Amino acid sequence: MDIAANLASIRSRIEAACLRASRDPSEVSLLAVSKGQPAEAVADAAASGQIWFGESKVQEARAKIPQCPASARWHMIGHLQTNKARDAVHLFEMIESVDSLRLAEDLQKAADKAAKTVRILLEVNAAGESTKFGYSPALLLEEFMRINAFPRLEIHGLMTIAPWSPSPERARPVFRRLRELRSQCEDLLGAPLPTLSMGMSGDFETAIEEGSTLVRVGTSLFGSRSPLRRDPAAEPG
Ligand SMILES: *Cc1c(COP(=O)(O)O)cnc(C)c1O
């Protein structure tokens, strides 16, 4: 895997998508999703100037982050169990996967103990898939202001994972829906929400055309995730 070359290619694809959408490329950040990848892969990407990295499991992040360059900064993008709130507050600069009032409450408590402010995104199951975590649009709008009331939590925007499809066009209505939901949340809040985290390896260009400010790219950057690395316990002796 030539991570430096992949990174350069992804960056130029981001720029081209911005150009098509008449957007300034500086509006779109790249989160390198390093789940299932070793610390060396993070170090390679960091050496090519990559700053932001995403992990989806607290346990994996806790083991990996200390082995990575200190320049790397971390987002939590996976489902977070409430009993991991304390670790998450210490490990991550942003938690993109807040999907319940209960989790927000536990993050508030953990952040209070740590005397920290935690940046969060609310994860939305915008396509209504039964297999996915995330707020339904209706519950999001219902609970938005209650989550906003937690003094230690700072809501920066919304995150979604589009249904997998070989055709990125299929994801376009989902991305559009998330952008509309952000406007509705901004109306409730009476203030702008800067972040729309949407788009992965298969669909990030479409997401940018629909307003994404944060694309989360794993396999296009690092190659496929090793099942051995992802879950060593699942490998036979
Ligand atoms: C794994 C993951 C990604 C990256 O997916 P790729 O298809 O490998 O780019 C992005 N976002 C979330 C929430 C993920 O879990």
Side-chain angles (χ1 to χ4, degrees):
M1 263 302 137
D2 188 342
I3 290 173
N6 292 349
L7 198 52
S9 145
I10 292 163
R11 287 199 181 120
S12 71
R13 285 169 63 191
I14 289 173
E15 277 180 33
C18 285
L19 218 62
R20 281 199 298 279
S22 307
R23 299 184 58 198
D24 184 335
S26 70
E27 290 172 15
V28 181
S29 301
L30 171 62
L31 187 79
V33 176
S34 52
K35 67 181 183 196
Q37 305 290 346
E40 295 75 51
V42 173
D44 281 354
S48 297
Q50 179 61 29
I51 295 170
W52 297 102
F53 293 86
E55 286 287 331
S56 63
K57 288 182 182 146
V58 166
Q59 207 174 348
E60 184 179 339
R62 199 170 40 202
K64 191 184 299 179
I65 291 176
Q67 302 178 287
C68 291
S71 64
R73 299 166 67 176
W74 300 88
H75 282 200
M76 173 62 179
I77 59 173
H79 180 64
L80 190 55
Q81 287 163 321
T82 54
N83 63 0
K84 300 270 171 59
R86 194 179 147 274
D87 279 337
V89 161
H90 287 95
L91 290 167
F92 299 103
E93 257 179 75
M94 182 179 269
I95 296 170
E96 298 197 15
S97 43
V98 176
D99 59 1
S100 72
L101 203 52
R102 169 75 204 282
L103 175 59
E105 234 166 61
D106 285 11
L107 288 170
Q108 160 67 25
K109 278 185 207 148
D112 208 36
K113 271 208 188 104
K116 270 184 156 182
T117 302
V118 183
R119 298 170 178 186
I120 62 168
L121 302 180
L122 302 182
E123 180 175 354
V124 186
N125 184 356
E129 289 175 285
S130 60
T131 52
K132 289 235 170 87
F133 290 108
Y135 269 111
S136 69
L139 195 59
L140 169 76
L141 295 171
E142 196 179 310
E143 294 193 345
F144 185 87
M145 290 308 282
R146 291 169 72 186
I147 292 178
N148 185 59
F150 290 118
R152 293 284 185 182
L153 305 187
E154 211 169 74
I155 307 178
H156 281 239
L158 305 180
M159 182 271 254
T160 200
I161 304 170
W164 189 87
S165 158
S167 156
E169 278 310 311
R170 297 284 293 276
R172 192 180 293 278
V174 177
F175 296 144
R176 216 168 263 170
R177 180 86 177 104
L178 195 74
R179 192 183 60 203
E180 287 162 9
L181 279 166
R182 176 178 64 169
S183 306
Q184 289 176 274
C185 290
E186 287 174 332
D187 289 346
L188 291 173
L189 191 63
L193 289 167
T195 307
L196 265 187
S197 174
M198 55 189 199
M200 316 194 339
S201 289
D203 55 22
F204 69 87
E205 288 145 307
T206 309
I208 289 169
E209 289 166 15
E210 294 301 328
S212 175
T213 68
L214 182 60
V215 293
R216 310 177 308 265
V217 178
T219 46
S220 286
L221 174 57
F222 293 118
S224 59
R225 294 177 273 275
S226 151
L228 185 77
R229 283 187 203 117
R230 190 161 44 192
D231 188 5
E235 286 294 305

